[in-house]
Amino acid sequence: YPPNIRTIRVMCSGRVSELLILKAFLSGADGVLLAGCHPGDCHYIKGNLGTMRKITAMKPFLETMGIEPERLRLEWIGASEGALYAETIRSFTQKIRGLGPGPFKRRKN
């Protein structure tokens, strides 16, 4: 997958808070991709279902801040699905390139 991503591993996608996502965008991230276990396969019972609710609720909020909802994406990818993970990152990176830099992108001097 493209080298221009930063992976942050957490024990469960349910541990990713809305504030962490917002901080990523405010820090200049062009997009945020969350990859979690498939529904029903969560080791933490229902953590991924909570993630789905968070992301659904966040998209309208991001839009009011001037961030296109397409810049935030949630995908269900199991730990054994390395090829799907790589393809998802490639397609997401391509989508973000099409959208251009994020609204909070810091300019380098």
Side-chain angles (χ1 to χ4, degrees):
Y1 52 83
N4 61 336
I5 66 157
R6 179 172 297 163
T7 300
I8 301 172
R9 293 184 64 182
V10 294
M11 295 301 289
C12 176
S13 62
R15 300 295 298 162
V16 177
S17 73
E18 296 91 339
L19 290 175
L20 184 60
I21 295 168
L22 187 57
K23 183 178 179 181
F25 282 117
L26 293 174
S27 296
D30 295 327
V32 174
L33 169 69
L34 272 80
C37 301
H38 294 276
D41 287 343
C42 182
H43 293 85
Y44 297 94
I45 305 169
K46 295 182 182 178
N48 52 8
L49 299 179
T51 301
M52 187 167 42
R53 286 190 295 273
K54 284 181 208 175
I55 298 305
T56 302
M58 265 202 92
K59 288 190 175 209
F61 173 73
L62 292 175
E63 198 165 19
T64 63
M65 293 185 60
I67 301 170
E68 297 99 329
E70 299 84 21
R71 292 183 182 276
L72 176 60
R73 182 169 161 185
L74 173 63
E75 288 290 335
W76 306 124
I77 304 172
S80 64
E81 298 176 299
L84 176 60
Y85 179 70
E87 179 53 37
T88 300
I89 291 174
R90 280 192 292 270
S91 71
F92 184 63
T93 302
Q94 187 174 30
K95 173 76 173 180
I96 296 301
R97 276 194 189 121
L99 292 172
F104 299 103
K105 189 74 169 184
R106 292 185 184 147
R107 295 184 183 178
K108 295 182 180 181
N109 294 335

